[in-house]
Amino acid sequence: SERRCGGRRRPSVRQRSMDVRLPREILVASPSAQEGVSPAEEKRHRAWGCMLILQATRLIRRSHMVCATAQSLLQRFFFRRSLKRFDVFGVAMACLLLSLKLEEELDMVMLRELIFAFHRLYQDRRGLAHVPMELGGERYWRWKQHLVTTERHLLKELGFVFSRAIEHPHRYILPLKEQLQLPNALAQRCFALLNDTLFVDVGLRYRGIHVVAACIHLAALQLGLVLPEAWWEILDCTAEDLGMIMTSILQFHELLQDGAVHGWLDPLAEESLLRDGE
């Protein structure tokens, strides 16, 4: 059965929404697309890299904010450089390192722990036995050099300025929950769906507040709740944008179901740390 919820009062939170969208001319054709990578393949590699970041963040026991920032950095970086030039595995590792610095959590974790975490993920995804990487060994120094070099590329391509490039829409959930009178179950489902948006590039295509609106609407549909008609208009969002964002989330769910983000993906880059092995 359906239950009705929500109010029509215009929320003030929309006034605080940042705009970190990329220009349309960049979004139309990513560097990877220009080099022949299909949209489906690019989405799969982006989501795969973001899943690596999530799993590595858990292994080193860092915060959700570190994970979200790193995933946002990865999505933005691959609108600057191609998957055929930079392999996702190395970029994911560098994004997490940079995120630890940006969120001021690097002092809690040694660099080696980050490398060991990604090495563990590499072994898991290749179906290899868990053999610890030798600290100070040839492989360790090769991975460390690759990590540091890739981080420098991140800083160069993203312009060294991140305060205006990263927005986490999660911060809008509680204000909107209160102002729209949303039930707890819907807010919790919305938070989970917002986590899923980090695996796709909607955060660079749409305003953060509109991404939240799509998650609220999708959560309501999944829970059988009825929101006021055209309620998203109070957030200056359109039905078209709402539909496009929800479609992107559902496409990611399909990737999860077929296991595309949990196995191993061979790198598309010709020069990759892992193309021919460790």
Side-chain angles (χ1 to χ4, degrees), residues 184-231:
N184 290 335
L186 193 151
Q188 292 171 357
R189 179 67 64 90
C190 177
F191 194 93
L193 291 172
L194 273 174
N195 290 340
D196 293 341
T197 66
L198 295 168
F199 291 82
V200 293
D201 62 11
V202 294
L204 302 177
R205 295 179 180 273
Y206 304 94
R207 285 183 175 273
I209 195 69
H210 296 168
V211 174
V212 175
C215 290
I216 291 175
H217 198 72
L218 183 55
L221 291 174
Q222 293 177 343
L223 295 174
L225 301 176
V226 178
L227 297 171
E229 184 177 355
W231 70 273

Side-chain angles (χ1 to χ4, degrees), residues 57-210:
T57 302
R58 290 173 175 171
L59 285 175
I60 62 176
R61 299 181 181 180
R62 298 303 95 193
S63 69
H64 174 267
M65 190 64 71
V66 165
C67 178
T69 296
Q71 291 171 319
S72 298
L73 291 173
L74 183 143
Q75 295 289 355
R76 187 171 288 269
F77 178 77
F78 282 114
F79 274 111
R80 295 285 300 176
R81 301 302 296 267
S82 170
L83 286 160
K84 288 196 172 183
R85 306 293 176 180
F86 290 83
D87 71 272
V88 177
F89 191 95
V91 171
M93 188 162 51
C95 285
L96 188 49
L97 173 61
L98 181 54
S99 178
L100 286 165
K101 295 178 180 180
L102 293 173
E103 301 299 337
E104 300 182 349
E105 293 192 33
L106 186 62
D107 58 334
M108 303 178 191
V109 58
M110 298 294 288
L111 181 64
R112 63 189 182 192
E113 290 184 45
L114 179 62
I115 295 175
F116 290 162
F118 273 87
H119 184 245
R120 173 65 178 265
L121 292 174
Y122 170 79
Q123 292 177 326
D124 286 343
R125 287 170 177 261
R126 296 302 297 264
L128 302 175
H130 291 159
V131 179
M133 178 183 286
E134 179 185 358
L135 179 62
E138 187 275 335
R139 181 184 303 160
Y140 175 83
W141 287 111
R142 182 154 46 89
W143 277 49
K144 182 177 179 180
Q145 183 58 47
H146 183 81
L147 172 58
V148 172
T149 301
T150 306
E151 185 196 22
R152 290 173 183 166
H153 283 288
L154 279 171
L155 292 168
K156 175 184 175 182
E157 294 299 334
L158 300 182
F160 292 86
V161 179
F162 302 96
S163 61
R164 297 190 299 273
I166 302 295
E167 181 193 34
H168 297 308
H170 298 72
R171 66 193 180 101
Y172 300 128
I173 295 179
L174 288 180
L176 285 174
K177 176 183 180 297
E178 296 176 359
Q179 295 169 10
L180 297 176
Q181 302 171 23
L182 304 177
N184 290 335
L186 193 151
Q188 292 171 357
R189 179 67 64 90
C190 177
F191 194 93
L193 291 172
L194 273 174
N195 290 340
D196 293 341
T197 66
L198 295 168
F199 291 82
V200 293
D201 62 11
V202 294
L204 302 177
R205 295 179 180 273
Y206 304 94
R207 285 183 175 273
I209 195 69
H210 296 168

